[in-house]
Amino acid sequence: DTGVSQDPRHKITKRGQNVTFRCDPISEHNRLYWYRQTLGQGPEFLTYFQNEAQLEKSRLLSDRFSAERPKGSFSTLEIQRTEQGDSAMYLCASSPAGTGPEAFFGQGTRLTVV
Amino acid sequence: SQKIEQNSEALNIQEGKTATLTCNYTNYSPAYLQWYRQDPGRGPVFLLLIRENEKEKRKERLKVTFDTTLKQSLFHITASQPADSATYLCAPTTGFQKLVFGTGTRLLVSP
C-alpha cells in the first residue's frame, strides 16, 4: 500500500460544470477526511467519515458539495455547478482506528474553474 | 471561535542553524498538537504529535514543545538543511473528528 491516493491530480473545468473527485484511503483506515486548501492558507476542513457514516460537515460545504463513502472504503467529493471560487486544492486524508488524531494525506486534486 | 496563529512571513536561516517556528492558539484547549510539513503542490506530511500532558517531544532533529498555559507550541529543527525548506503547519486538535490548521510558516534554509 503506497498511501492515500487521489484522482485526478488536476482538473480544469468550465464554470457551471459538475466535477467529481475520488479518494482511496490507506487500507483499513476507517476515518476519512476531506479538506480544501487555497494559496497561502492552511487546509480547511470540509467533512469527516467514520467508516461509511458522514459524522461531521463544515459550513463551508454548501449545498453544491456532496461527499460519499459507500461501504466505508473509497470516497467521492462532488461539486455541482462549479464557481470560480471553488478553485483550490482538494485534499483527502485518512487515519486508522484506535490511534491518535494524526492524519495521512493524499497528494490532492488541483481544481481550476475557468 | 478557535484561532490559530503562525508567522505568515517566511523564516530564512542558514544551513546548520536551528530553525524555530511558533504556533499560538486561542479560545480552546487542545488535547493534542500536531505538526505537518507541506511541500509545494503536495499534501501535508505528518511529523510529530504532542499531548497536552507532555512538555516536550523529540524525533531525530525535530523537537516540539507544548505550553498549555501560554497556549503555544514551538517547533525546532536543529542542524537545518536545505532539504528542510518547506511550509510547516501546526494543528492544535481537540479530538479525532477534524484537524484545524494554522496558515503555515514557510522555512527557507540556504546553503
Side-chain angles (χ1 to χ4, degrees), chain A residues 4-93:
Chain A
V4 177
S5 177
Q6 292 189 245
D7 183 70
R9 290 292 310 278
H10 303 274
K11 178 72 176 178
I12 299 174
T13 191
K14 290 184 178 178
R15 192 172 48 188
Q17 297 293 305
N18 298 344
V19 293
T20 300
F21 309 142
R22 177 180 170 121
C23 171
D24 287 273
I26 295 171
S27 297
E28 299 177 359
H29 279 196
N30 72 335
R31 289 182 269 150
L32 187 145
Y33 313 82
W34 284 99
Y35 290 83
R36 180 173 69 185
Q37 187 175 26
T38 53
L39 200 61
Q41 301 297 314
E44 292 178 293
F45 171 78
L46 292 178
T47 191
Y48 162 66
F49 289 86
Q50 184 164 303
N51 298 313
E52 66 274 13
Q54 188 174 21
L55 296 185
E56 188 167 349
K57 288 172 60 173
S58 165
R59 58 184 168 78
L60 293 174
L61 215 65
S62 75
D63 291 346
R64 295 185 298 107
F65 287 70
S66 63
E68 294 183 342
R69 193 183 181 196
K71 303 178 184 178
S73 55
F74 72 92
S75 177
T76 58
L77 178 69
E78 181 183 16
I79 309 174
Q80 296 184 325
R81 304 181 303 282
T82 52
E83 302 172 356
Q84 286 190 318
D86 297 331
S87 296
M89 174 78 88
Y90 290 84
L91 294 161
C92 176

Side-chain angles (χ1 to χ4, degrees), chain A residues 9 31 33 35 37 40-43 45 48 55-56 89 91 99-103 105-107 110, chain B residues 32 34 36 38 41-46 49 51 89 93 95-104:
Chain A
R9 290 292 310 278
R31 289 182 269 150
Y33 313 82
Y35 290 83
Q37 187 175 26
Q41 301 297 314
F45 171 78
Y48 162 66
L55 296 185
E56 188 167 349
M89 174 78 88
L91 294 161
T99 66
E102 55 267 41
F105 282 82
Q107 300 289 38
R110 168 74 64 189
Chain B
Y32 313 89
Q34 304 181 59
Y36 288 77
Q38 188 172 28
R42 304 179 79 89
V45 174
F46 171 74
L49 177 148
R51 291 174 168 77
L89 300 159
T93 308
F96 292 15
Q97 304 226 162
K98 67 181 179 186
L99 300 178
V100 181
F101 287 91
T103 54

Side-chain angles (χ1 to χ4, degrees), chain B residues 26-95:
Chain B
T26 54
N27 297 330
Y28 70 122
S29 297
Y32 313 89
L33 199 144
Q34 304 181 59
W35 284 89
Y36 288 77
R37 169 185 172 139
Q38 188 172 28
D39 292 288
R42 304 179 79 89
V45 174
F46 171 74
L47 295 176
L48 275 172
L49 177 148
I50 186 166
R51 291 174 168 77
E52 61 180 338
N53 60 349
E54 298 175 316
K55 295 289 186 191
E56 180 180 299
K57 200 150 193 182
R58 293 174 185 259
K59 179 183 175 183
E60 298 171 353
R61 295 184 295 111
L62 308 180
K63 184 178 87 170
V64 172
T65 63
F66 191 6
D67 189 324
T68 55
T69 301
L70 290 179
K71 294 186 179 292
Q72 181 181 80
S73 174
L74 298 179
F75 177 81
H76 306 272
I77 305 175
T78 58
S80 59
Q81 305 165 0
D84 295 326
S85 298
T87 295
Y88 292 86
L89 300 159
C90 75
T93 308
T94 54

